[in-house]
Amino acid sequence: MLRFDPFSDLDALTKGLLSTGTGSSRTPRFMPMDLCKIDDHYVLTADLPGVDPGSVDVTVDNGMLTISAHRTARSDESAQWLANERFFGSYRRQLSLGEGIDTSAIAATYENGVLTVTIPMVERAKPRKIEIAHGGEQKSITVEGETVSNDQ
């Protein structure tokens, strides 16, 4: 009996595309990360388990944030491996920073295999209240939870 699977060629193509360009299957393919905005700053968290803290590097150049790290492979030649699934090698991730980021105040910490990068917004990019004058009286409008009024 001959079976036809219309998706087998697509599966083979996908596997081929995902497995090329990064070297061996032991090389890390990506650095999982989360990015969120909290009040007036962004927080990026990236998973880097088993990475030596001295190999973690965070740089900013021309609006590009680059995170790089390296996990060294075990070099025990006498070991008889029963399972060897952990990735080793270099990780690198780049993010383009938009306007309104205070690059001089970016801070990073690495704790328990998680890199946390705090990316603050510049003062002029923070939400602010705009006063609106109406026929001799001024009213205040609340923007982002902050109210400012100008009494005459």
Side-chain angles (χ1 to χ4, degrees):
M1 179 170 157
L2 182 63
R3 297 179 92 176
F4 174 69
D5 182 5
F7 299 106
S8 64
D9 290 337
L10 183 59
D11 287 344
L13 177 63
T14 302
K15 286 178 187 175
L17 290 173
L18 292 176
S19 65
T20 60
T22 58
S24 72
S25 62
R26 306 298 305 136
T27 304
R29 296 206 187 310
F30 64 95
M31 176 189 309
M33 67 165 222
D34 293 331
L35 180 65
C36 65
K37 182 177 182 243
I38 301 173
D39 298 325
D40 60 354
H41 62 278
Y42 297 93
V43 176
L44 179 149
T45 52
D47 290 343
L48 294 169
V51 169
D52 175 26
S55 76
V56 179
D57 192 31
V58 179
T59 59
V60 177
D61 186 27
N62 290 327
M64 185 70 66
L65 177 75
T66 303
I67 302 170
S68 56
H70 185 80
R71 183 186 308 153
T72 307
R74 280 188 143 171
S75 60
D76 189 354
E77 295 177 16
S78 64
Q80 182 181 7
W81 293 102
L82 302 176
N84 190 12
E85 299 174 348
R86 297 178 64 214
F87 292 113
F88 58 87
S90 295
Y91 293 85
R92 183 177 171 143
R93 189 89 187 245
Q94 289 188 308
L95 295 140
S96 179
L97 301 175
E99 302 240 349
I101 299 297
D102 186 358
T103 58
S104 65
I106 293 175
T109 60
Y110 180 67
E111 185 175 344
N112 296 327
V114 178
L115 175 70
T116 302
V117 181
T118 303
I119 307 166
M121 295 171 28
V122 293
E123 191 65 39
R124 70 177 181 273
K126 293 179 185 175
R128 62 185 179 91
K129 188 203 157 316
I130 308 296
E131 295 294 327
I132 300 174
H134 291 277
E137 75 177 59
Q138 275 190 330
K139 295 186 178 182
S140 61
I141 295 177
T142 301
V143 177
E144 295 283 332
E146 192 175 314
T147 304
V148 178
S149 62
N150 189 1
D151 297 329
Q152 293 184 1

